[in-house]
CSV table of all heavy atoms in Angstrom, one decimal:
chain,number,residue,atom,x,y,z
B,33,ILE,N,5.0,18.8,53.4
B,33,ILE,CA,5.3,19.0,52.0
B,33,ILE,C,5.4,20.6,51.9
B,33,ILE,O,4.4,21.2,52.0
B,33,ILE,CB,4.4,18.4,51.0
B,33,ILE,CG1,4.5,16.9,51.1
B,33,ILE,CG2,4.7,18.9,49.6
B,33,ILE,CD1,3.5,16.2,50.2
B,38,LEU,N,1.7,17.0,56.1
B,38,LEU,CA,1.0,16.0,55.3
B,38,LEU,C,0.3,15.1,56.4
B,38,LEU,O,-0.9,14.9,56.2
B,38,LEU,CB,2.0,15.2,54.5
B,38,LEU,CG,1.5,14.0,53.8
B,38,LEU,CD1,0.5,14.4,52.8
B,38,LEU,CD2,2.6,13.3,53.1
B,57,GLY,N,-7.7,7.5,52.4
B,57,GLY,CA,-8.2,8.1,51.1
B,57,GLY,C,-7.0,8.5,50.3
B,57,GLY,O,-5.9,8.4,50.7
B,58,SER,N,-7.3,8.8,49.0
B,58,SER,CA,-6.1,9.2,48.2
B,58,SER,C,-5.5,10.5,48.6
B,58,SER,O,-6.3,11.5,48.9
B,58,SER,CB,-6.5,9.2,46.7
B,58,SER,OG,-7.5,10.1,46.5
B,59,GLY,N,-4.2,10.6,48.6
B,59,GLY,CA,-3.5,11.9,48.9
B,59,GLY,C,-3.2,12.1,50.4
B,59,GLY,O,-2.7,13.1,50.8
B,60,VAL,N,-3.6,11.1,51.2
B,60,VAL,CA,-3.4,11.4,52.7
B,60,VAL,C,-1.9,11.0,53.1
B,60,VAL,O,-1.4,11.4,54.1
B,60,VAL,CB,-4.2,10.5,53.6
B,60,VAL,CG1,-5.7,11.0,53.4
B,60,VAL,CG2,-4.1,9.0,53.4
B,61,GLY,N,-1.2,10.4,52.2
B,61,GLY,CA,0.3,10.1,52.4
B,61,GLY,C,0.6,8.6,52.7
B,61,GLY,O,1.6,8.3,53.2
B,62,LYS,N,-0.3,7.7,52.1
B,62,LYS,CA,0.0,6.3,52.3
B,62,LYS,C,1.3,5.9,51.6
B,62,LYS,O,2.1,5.3,52.2
B,62,LYS,CB,-1.2,5.5,51.8
B,62,LYS,CG,-2.6,5.7,52.4
B,62,LYS,CD,-3.6,4.9,51.8
B,62,LYS,CE,-3.9,4.9,50.3
B,62,LYS,NZ,-4.4,6.3,49.8
B,63,SER,N,1.3,6.3,50.3
B,63,SER,CA,2.5,5.9,49.6
B,63,SER,C,3.8,6.5,50.1
B,63,SER,O,4.8,5.9,50.2
B,63,SER,CB,2.4,6.3,48.1
B,63,SER,OG,1.4,5.7,47.4
B,64,THR,N,3.6,7.8,50.7
B,64,THR,CA,4.8,8.4,51.3
B,64,THR,C,5.3,7.6,52.5
B,64,THR,O,6.5,7.4,52.6
B,64,THR,CB,4.4,9.9,51.8
B,64,THR,OG1,3.8,10.5,50.6
B,64,THR,CG2,5.5,10.5,52.4
B,75,GLY,N,8.3,13.3,48.1
B,75,GLY,CA,8.2,14.7,47.9
B,75,GLY,C,8.1,15.4,49.3
B,75,GLY,O,8.1,16.6,49.4
C,23,LIG,N1,7.2,13.9,44.7
C,23,LIG,C1,6.3,14.7,45.3
C,23,LIG,N2,6.4,16.0,45.3
C,23,LIG,C2,5.5,16.8,46.0
C,23,LIG,N3,4.4,16.3,46.4
C,23,LIG,C3,4.2,15.1,46.4
C,23,LIG,C4,5.1,14.1,45.8
C,23,LIG,N4,4.6,12.9,46.0
C,23,LIG,C5,3.4,13.0,46.5
C,23,LIG,N5,3.2,14.3,46.8
C,23,LIG,C6,1.9,14.8,47.5
C,23,LIG,O1,1.9,14.2,48.8
C,23,LIG,C7,0.6,13.8,49.1
C,23,LIG,C8,0.6,12.4,49.5
C,23,LIG,O2,0.9,11.6,48.5
C,23,LIG,P1,0.9,10.0,48.5
C,23,LIG,O3,1.7,9.6,49.7
C,23,LIG,O4,1.2,9.5,47.2
C,23,LIG,O5,-0.7,9.8,48.9
C,23,LIG,P2,-1.5,8.4,48.7
C,23,LIG,O6,-0.6,7.3,48.4
C,23,LIG,O7,-2.2,8.3,50.1
C,23,LIG,O8,-2.6,8.7,47.7
C,23,LIG,C9,-0.3,14.2,47.9
C,23,LIG,O9,-1.0,15.4,48.2
C,23,LIG,C10,0.7,14.3,46.8
C,23,LIG,O10,0.2,15.3,46.0
Side-chain angles (χ1 to χ4, degrees):
Chain B
I33 294 180
L38 176 60
S58 57
V60 295
K62 302 184 300 296
S63 296
T64 303

